[in-house]
């Protein structure tokens, strides 16, 4: 659901739950077509997660997952709000969690997935260059990271590009990239059978195509 449309109208700055409740109704109706959760998108500035607590709580009670955007255009406070008030099952972006190490420890302990989009973060000027991006810091802190492309039609990137980027910029090995791929599958809401199938395919590809040496080569050094 779009954040800022709830803070406009006749009372600018005051939260109006009308649209959120309508989105919840559509989300509940959409479950028979594969709908699995509630999202919260858009610029976080001036539109914090806390006012959406009731609608997300209703959604959770009805079996929907909580999958808000947080920690992109606002800092760690936004992620804390998503965790505490929206009972987030995973966080879209969440990269600015790194600004609060207590939050990083919380995310790592609970293994809340962060859907990180490195190229998008640079294009939107969250960080001046990729070498200043906290991707590796979050990963080495034990946070459950998945790689994502965000908006390929706007950014001109692909999911494969994101894997290539983190390998080159942060010195990851093929084993690391396979780990991120597995994270994505395990963090998804696919059926247990589908997850097992895709995880098996990754393991088979790894076994049949890579030697032990190839798996551990730092890809940034191979160019």
């Amino acid at each position: 659901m779009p954040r800022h449309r709830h803070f406009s109208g006749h009372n600018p700055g005051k939260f109006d739950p009308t649209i959120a409740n309508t989105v919840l109704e559509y989300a509940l109706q959409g479950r028979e077509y594969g709908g699995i959760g509630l999202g919260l998108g858009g610029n976080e500035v001036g539109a914090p997660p806390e006012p959406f607590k009731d609608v997300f709580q209703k959604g959770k009670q009805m079996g929907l997952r909580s999958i808000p955007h947080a920690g992109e255009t606002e800092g760690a406070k936004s992620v804390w709000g998503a965790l505490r008030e929206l009972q987030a099952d995973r966080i879209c972006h969440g990269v600015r969690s790194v600004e609060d190490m207590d939050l990083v420890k919380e995310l790592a302990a609970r293994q809340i997935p962060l859907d990180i989009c490195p190229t998008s973060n640079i294009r939107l000027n969250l960080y001046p260059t990729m070498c200043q991006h906290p991707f590796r810091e979050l990963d080495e802190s034990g946070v459950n990271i998945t790689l994502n492309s965000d908006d390929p039609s706007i950014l001109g990137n692909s999911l494969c590009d994101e894997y290539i980027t983190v390998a080159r910029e942060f010195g990851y090995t093929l084993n690391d990239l396979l780990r991120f791929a597995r994270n994505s599958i395990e963090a998804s809401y696919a059926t247990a059978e589908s997850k097992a199938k895709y995880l098996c395919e990754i393991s088979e590809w790894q076994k049949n195509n890579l030697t032990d040496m190839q798996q551990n080569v730092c890809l940034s050094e191979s160019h």
Side-chain angles (χ1 to χ4, degrees):
M1 61 186 72
R3 280 183 143 91
H4 276 276
R5 292 193 64 186
H6 298 81
F7 293 90
S8 57
H10 298 295
N11 297 295
K14 184 177 180 180
F15 180 75
D16 181 351
T18 304
I19 296 174
N21 287 322
T22 300
V23 171
L24 174 60
E25 291 178 14
Y26 286 137
L28 292 172
Q29 293 171 16
R31 287 179 298 178
E32 62 180 295
Y33 304 105
I36 53 90
L38 279 178
L40 182 62
N43 192 340
E44 299 160 71
V45 178
E50 285 81 359
F52 296 88
K53 176 180 178 178
D54 288 346
V55 71
F56 272 78
Q57 186 175 58
K58 292 175 186 175
K60 292 275 284 189
Q61 290 171 349
M62 298 298 290
L64 294 175
R65 303 284 186 169
S66 172
I67 316 172
H69 284 59
E72 181 190 19
T73 52
E74 281 282 23
K77 182 179 179 181
S78 178
V79 180
W80 278 122
L83 291 176
R84 291 168 172 165
E85 305 302 332
L86 306 188
Q87 303 173 52
D89 295 295
R90 63 192 296 165
I91 301 287
C92 298
H93 295 289
V95 68
R96 290 183 61 185
S97 300
V98 76
E99 297 169 14
D100 181 342
M101 291 312 296
D102 286 337
L103 174 57
V104 172
K105 291 176 183 176
E106 178 83 4
L107 292 168
R110 294 173 57 186
Q111 285 296 282
I112 301 290
L114 296 189
D115 299 333
I116 295 182
C117 312
T119 297
S120 174
N121 296 157
I122 301 303
R123 298 279 178 84
L124 295 179
N125 297 315
L126 269 66
Y127 304 100
T129 64
M130 195 63 74
C131 67
Q132 293 169 283
H133 193 287
F135 185 95
R136 183 144 204 148
E137 182 177 355
L138 288 165
D139 181 36
E140 291 180 347
S141 296
V143 176
N144 186 0
I145 288 176
T146 72
L147 267 170
N148 304 268
S149 56
D150 203 4
D151 293 300
S153 61
I154 296 174
L155 300 173
N157 62 332
S158 70
L159 185 56
C160 288
D161 292 332
E162 300 303 312
Y163 277 82
I164 293 169
T165 294
V166 298
R168 287 177 172 169
E169 296 290 339
F170 305 118
Y172 281 117
T173 66
L174 284 171
N175 260 345
D176 292 318
L177 300 188
L178 292 170
R179 173 166 56 87
F180 295 137
R182 290 187 175 99
N183 286 353
S184 298
I185 294 168
E186 291 168 349
S188 76
Y189 301 118
T191 64
E193 292 79 9
S194 293
K195 288 185 181 183
K197 174 179 180 291
Y198 296 132
L199 290 170
C200 182
E201 288 179 2
I202 289 176
S203 295
E204 284 297 309
W205 183 89
Q206 183 176 12
K207 176 182 176 181
N208 295 330
N209 292 279
L210 299 177
T211 65
D212 289 342
M213 181 177 293
Q214 287 173 324
Q215 292 179 46
N216 293 292
V217 169
C218 177
L219 296 183
S220 64
E221 297 173 354
S222 62
H223 293 275

